[in-house]
Amino acid sequence: MYSKLTKSAAAATIVLMTATGCADMSATQRGTATGAGIGAGLGGLIGGTTSGGGSGRATRGAVIGAAAGAVIGNIWSKRMEAQKQQMEQATQGTGVQVSQTADNRLKLEIPSDISFDTGRSDIKGNFQPILQRFASTLQENPNTNVVIIGHTDSTGSDAINQPLSVDRASRTRDYLAGRGVNPNRITIEGRGSREPIASNADASGKARNRRVEIYVAEPAQG
């Protein structure tokens, strides 16, 4: 019986850990998935070996463990909370959205009227002070890593939008690196027009979709 329960937990772990190898995952997402996999395995073992255990309890334990483990992948420390508050103050009234994600990452969503003009990847003047302040918070928190994701609206083909979205993320990384942030801490991605947050049927919706998203995470140690 114990062998079956162990196998159930191990299977759950393997399934979730397999997700950490997905090519389109960022380093932070892989850390979260790893935490979920570890949590699933431990949860399955604990659920299956406690009094009255069985395959059903092992499965439930794996699910609960995965949910807890996902958060284990990143931590939300006092430093992260302070960085969030600093960025909220620095971007107040600009339209930049600052939030804490479910997997304990700091997210900055920068709309097009601040970041980039249509079809362009050069950083606009009103984006620079925000990035300068952001660079300072990153230097104050050297254990964090950063993921920058560029997006476009639906204007143009994928052959144009995909490299444009990558270039927007790359320009943002380069700007931060020029202000003293180690570029090895930064991962960039481009999603083209594949992940709109508004309708591309009108100009205002397209403007919302032309954006950069920046994620900051402090990975849990050990």
Side-chain angles (χ1 to χ4, degrees):
M1 177 179 178
Y2 177 78
S3 177
K4 290 182 179 179
L5 296 175
T6 303
K7 289 178 180 178
S8 296
T13 303
I14 291 169
V15 169
L16 284 161
M17 289 294 286
T18 299
T20 67
C22 292
D24 59 349
M25 279 187 173
S26 69
T28 304
Q29 289 169 326
R30 283 193 294 271
T32 301
T34 300
I38 293 170
L42 292 176
L45 286 172
I46 293 170
T49 55
T50 52
S51 176
S55 60
R57 183 179 288 246
T59 302
R60 289 193 296 273
V63 172
I64 295 171
V71 178
I72 292 172
N74 305 301
I75 60 172
W76 188 261
S77 64
K78 290 182 179 179
R79 292 184 298 271
M80 289 291 289
E81 180 61 29
Q83 189 173 9
K84 177 176 179 287
Q85 293 176 2
Q86 289 169 353
M87 290 312 302
E88 286 175 337
Q89 294 173 1
T91 60
Q92 188 173 12
T94 66
V96 173
Q97 298 296 314
V98 181
S99 61
Q100 177 185 356
T101 67
D103 60 347
N104 286 335
R105 292 188 291 170
L106 172 64
K107 177 182 179 182
L108 281 70
E109 186 172 312
I110 299 95
S112 64
D113 57 345
I114 297 173
S115 53
F116 304 99
D117 288 324
T118 303
R120 302 293 297 268
S121 60
D122 47 314
I123 293 174
K124 295 168 67 171
N126 53 352
F127 191 19
Q128 294 176 10
I130 294 171
L131 287 179
Q132 289 170 355
R133 181 59 180 139
F134 181 54
S136 297
T137 68
L138 290 177
Q139 290 175 314
E140 294 166 5
N141 297 274
N143 293 325
T144 56
N145 54 47
V146 183
V147 177
I148 304 174
I149 303 176
H151 299 268
T152 71
D153 61 32
S154 62
T155 303
S157 65
D158 288 344
I160 295 174
N161 290 333
Q162 178 59 26
L164 176 60
S165 65
V166 173
D167 200 28
R168 286 174 172 170
S170 176
R171 292 289 188 96
T172 304
R173 176 197 59 196
D174 293 346
Y175 192 92
L176 293 172
R179 272 75 191 162
V181 180
N182 186 344
N184 293 327
R185 296 171 57 189
I186 306 173
T187 300
I188 63 168
E189 301 178 24
R191 302 287 173 82
S193 61
R194 297 189 300 277
E195 297 181 0
I197 58 173
S199 171
N200 278 300
D202 54 56
S204 61
K206 286 184 176 182
R208 290 186 61 196
N209 292 331
R210 295 191 304 273
R211 68 195 191 280
V212 173
E213 294 171 341
I214 302 176
Y215 295 88
V216 184
E218 184 175 351
Q221 301 299 313

